[in-house]
């Protein structure tokens, strides 16, 4: 069982930055793959980034690679998503997620492969 709470969203101008945080609790957090997804109005939830249990491997969707950085601090039970060089098309609700497959789990991009979800935090980027 894992519980997730996101924070850090807000309104920023294009080119600006935000740092999202996800505080996790649960027995297996430190061994879980963690992911960030986003969903804009009228669109499907889409993969943003994922990170392995020890932070040694990451995966990003092409449109955010080089601009966003996912990281984790298992001692603090926290996962981060640093969003730089933001664009209006990044506007969405951002969700933290956990994949309860153990330390060897793949960094999947499919929402259905993740087991736990936070409530989401809104990111709005103005032109």
């Amino acid at each position: 069982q894992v519980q997730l709470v996101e924070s850090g969203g807000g309104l920023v101008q294009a080119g600006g930055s935000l740092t999202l945080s996800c505080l996790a609790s649960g027995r297996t957090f430190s061994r879980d793959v963690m992911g960030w997804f986003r969903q804009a109005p009228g669109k499907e939830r889409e993969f943003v980034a994922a990170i392995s249990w020890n932070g040694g491997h990451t995966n990003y969707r092409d449109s955010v690679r080089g601009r966003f950085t996912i990281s984790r601090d298992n001692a603090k039970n926290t996962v981060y998503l640093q969003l730089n060089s933001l664009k209006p098309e990044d506007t969405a609700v951002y969700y933290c997620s956990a994949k309860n497959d153990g330390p060897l789990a793949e960094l999947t991009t499919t929402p259905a492969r993740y087991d736990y979800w936070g409530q989401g935090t809104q990111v709005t980027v103005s032109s």
Side-chain angles (χ1 to χ4, degrees):
Q1 291 292 126
V2 176
Q3 293 178 303
L4 308 171
V5 179
E6 305 98 326
S7 62
L11 174 63
V12 298
Q13 294 182 337
S17 298
L18 285 173
T19 300
L20 307 184
S21 298
C22 174
L23 179 63
S25 61
R27 181 181 64 85
T28 63
F29 166 75
S30 65
R31 311 294 285 183
D32 283 354
V33 167
M34 303 296 297
W36 286 95
F37 292 77
R38 66 188 182 186
Q39 188 167 21
K43 295 186 177 181
E44 296 294 316
R45 188 168 299 187
E46 65 182 18
F47 172 78
V48 177
I51 188 167
S52 61
W53 71 274
N54 64 354
H57 296 87
T58 57
N59 191 20
Y60 299 92
R61 72 178 297 111
D62 289 343
S63 63
V64 310
R65 187 173 291 110
R67 298 189 298 121
F68 294 3
T69 302
I70 188 171
S71 61
R72 67 192 297 167
D73 186 340
N74 289 341
K76 296 181 178 180
N77 294 327
T78 302
V79 179
Y80 305 94
L81 185 68
Q82 182 181 356
L83 301 82
N84 295 330
S85 301
L86 283 162
K87 305 175 181 179
E89 53 262 43
D90 295 319
T91 295
V93 177
Y94 283 70
Y95 296 91
C96 179
S97 61
K99 190 170 183 288
N100 190 29
D101 291 341
L104 300 180
E106 64 181 310
L107 304 184
T108 183
T109 64
T110 304
R113 295 288 303 278
Y114 288 77
D115 302 293
Y116 306 102
W117 296 86
Q119 82 291 338
T121 185
Q122 177 71 47
V123 172
T124 303
V125 185
S126 62
S127 301

